[in-house]
Amino acid sequence: MNSPWPLLITLTYVAIAMVIGLRARAGRSMNSLEEWGVAGRSMGPVTLYLLIAAGSVSAYTFMGAPGWAYSKGVAVFYVAIYLAYLALVAWYFGPKVWQFGEQFGHVTQASAISDRYQSPALGALAALVMAIGSIAYAVLQTIGSAYILFVMSGGLIPIWLGVVLVLACIAVYLYASGQRAIGRTNAFQGVLMLIVAWAVGLWAMHSATGGLSFAGVFERIQAEHSEFLTLPGAGGDMSFSFWTTSIVVSMFSFMPPVWTQWMSAASARTIRRSATWLPTYYVVILPMVVVGFIGIFSLPDLARADTVVLEYAMQHLPVVLVGLLGAGTLAASMSSSEPFIHSVSLSLSKDVLQPVLKLSDGVTGKLARLLILPIMFFVVAPLAIAEPGSLVMILLVGLGFASQVLPAFIGMFFWPRASRLGVMAGIVIGFLITTAFTVLWPHPLGIHAGFWGLMLNLPVFVAVSLMTPATHAEVVERFFRIAAPRGFTQRRCSAAG
């Protein structure tokens, strides 16, 4: 494709996103953790709805998920289960987390863990383990962003330069406006993604089948490539055990940016209203997945499955729509990498460096803003340029590590007897097992490495908790009056002591 329009449209989107992000601060000082980290807890229901939706619908919507549909078939629908679950989690846990933050002054997930178990060391451990999962997610998004610029420029912007350009753009407005920039840009990006996904999807369906019904696509797949409609898929590499354990691991990963989004709301009621409507946004993924299935019979020889939507668009769609697809895909990538980079910087500053170096809140606030630069350019950029695997697989590996912090949340919401040492022991065992079964012996017996970690993590957590002192009863009571207001009793609290 020789037209300059796709690149011009994509770069116009980047310029608009930068203006929105820079203006989001509106003259406020961003040197406090409360303002840069959680936007002064001020976001209304519409902004929060688009913030959560756009943040959870990332590059895999336009690249990873269609790529899995193209290469593995129906296994891709794990995404539908995961997104539905995210909406339920936000509806139930979001208001409670907001109350924790508002009443106890938490600005990060790890600071809530540190407070619940009265252990800065445990907060730091949780922050570091979660940082691995978050970095994996940010790398995934950055790879997607760089690839879009590579394709839209006809190869003039190589992957390494695309990585640097995208991260530099995000760094400018993230440093300037923090969580407010994420909220405003995600709102713009969320609307753009929804419009582009359905426009591209419907056009692609019409060009492939002559109609606008999903049924025509799947009837042809059933007739010509029925192996894509059952597990383990056409490649034979997506067993039922790996598919189901991947879903379980994804469901148990309470990622830090989601926690930060909830604490940025104006009220607990705001979160519940936004979460109630979240499923209406997640239909954004359906047309993109269908384009992936179209690619099975239209583009049988693709070298890289993640590019199926872009390749199909460039061969069959008008140049303006290709440009909008580039902008929409870049929006999906940036809207998800921003909150993950932000949360890693915020949590490492607040939960690791502040207690170790005995920093004041003022210095920690300034440090959090500056820390995004080394995280972006010395960690995310080299990993993204190396392109270590398929987009969805990078995501699943990251979630496998993040899920090992599950015991901390069990003790926060469900089990008053959970102890500091029990949670620590569970996280350490789970992390070691997940690392071994990711690097040395990948996914034994076809079961996800993170699931293996959880199977040892949780029994160790329970056993050590029962053998070691619980957290002080007054602290447990303070949390459980919010976490379980209808089930909380003085007897449970006394049992915890």
Side-chain angles (χ1 to χ4, degrees), residues 47-249:
T47 302
L48 193 69
Y49 165 83
L50 290 169
L51 170 67
I52 298 174
S56 55
V57 175
S58 58
Y60 70 69
T61 302
F62 292 85
M63 297 180 71
W68 263 39
Y70 177 81
S71 61
K72 303 180 189 303
V74 292
V76 69
F77 288 116
Y78 99 90
V79 173
I81 300 171
Y82 175 59
L83 290 177
Y85 169 77
L86 282 184
L88 288 173
V89 166
W91 191 90
Y92 181 78
F93 291 103
K96 301 176 189 298
V97 168
W98 184 88
Q99 285 185 282
F100 290 160
E102 197 270 342
Q103 293 186 22
F104 309 148
H106 306 153
V107 293
T108 65
Q109 183 185 70
S111 61
I113 293 171
S114 173
D115 185 19
R116 159 64 178 86
Y117 298 96
Q118 297 293 287
S119 172
L122 178 56
L125 176 64
L128 291 170
V129 172
M130 279 296 189
I132 296 174
S134 298
I135 291 291
Y137 206 86
V139 168
L140 181 157
Q141 308 309 323
T142 306
I143 293 171
S145 300
Y147 188 77
I148 292 302
L149 291 177
F150 175 78
V151 173
M152 294 298 121
S153 68
L156 294 176
I157 302 177
I159 295 295
W160 70 266
L161 182 56
V163 167
V164 173
L165 288 175
V166 168
L167 291 178
C169 292
I170 294 175
V172 170
Y173 62 74
L174 199 54
Y175 176 83
S177 307
Q179 182 71 353
R180 289 185 185 276
I182 296 172
R184 296 286 180 85
T185 55
N186 274 22
F188 164 63
Q189 291 157 341
V191 173
L192 178 65
M193 283 187 279
L194 192 59
I195 294 172
V196 169
W198 277 96
V200 170
L202 290 174
W203 196 297
M205 273 188 285
H206 188 268
S207 71
T209 66
L212 295 176
S213 170
F214 290 171
V217 175
F218 289 101
E219 285 170 359
R220 184 165 176 183
I221 293 292
Q222 185 178 27
E224 300 177 10
H225 304 281
S226 59
E227 67 275 17
F228 283 92
L229 299 181
T230 56
L231 296 178
D237 58 348
M238 185 51 62
S239 65
F240 181 76
S241 58
F242 188 76
W243 190 74
T244 52
T245 53
S246 295
I247 292 174
V248 170
V249 165

Side-chain angles (χ1 to χ4, degrees), residues 13-25 30 36 145 165-186 188-189 330-331 333-339 342 369 372-373 376:
Y13 150 74
V14 174
I16 294 173
M18 287 197 67
V19 171
I20 292 173
L22 287 170
R23 290 174 62 87
R25 65 181 299 172
M30 286 289 153
W36 191 81
S145 300
L165 288 175
V166 168
L167 291 178
C169 292
I170 294 175
V172 170
Y173 62 74
L174 199 54
Y175 176 83
S177 307
Q179 182 71 353
R180 289 185 185 276
I182 296 172
R184 296 286 180 85
T185 55
N186 274 22
F188 164 63
Q189 291 157 341
L330 197 55
S333 303
M334 292 172 65
S335 67
S336 295
S337 63
E338 296 163 11
H342 172 264
R369 298 177 70 188
I372 61 171
L373 300 176
M376 284 182 170

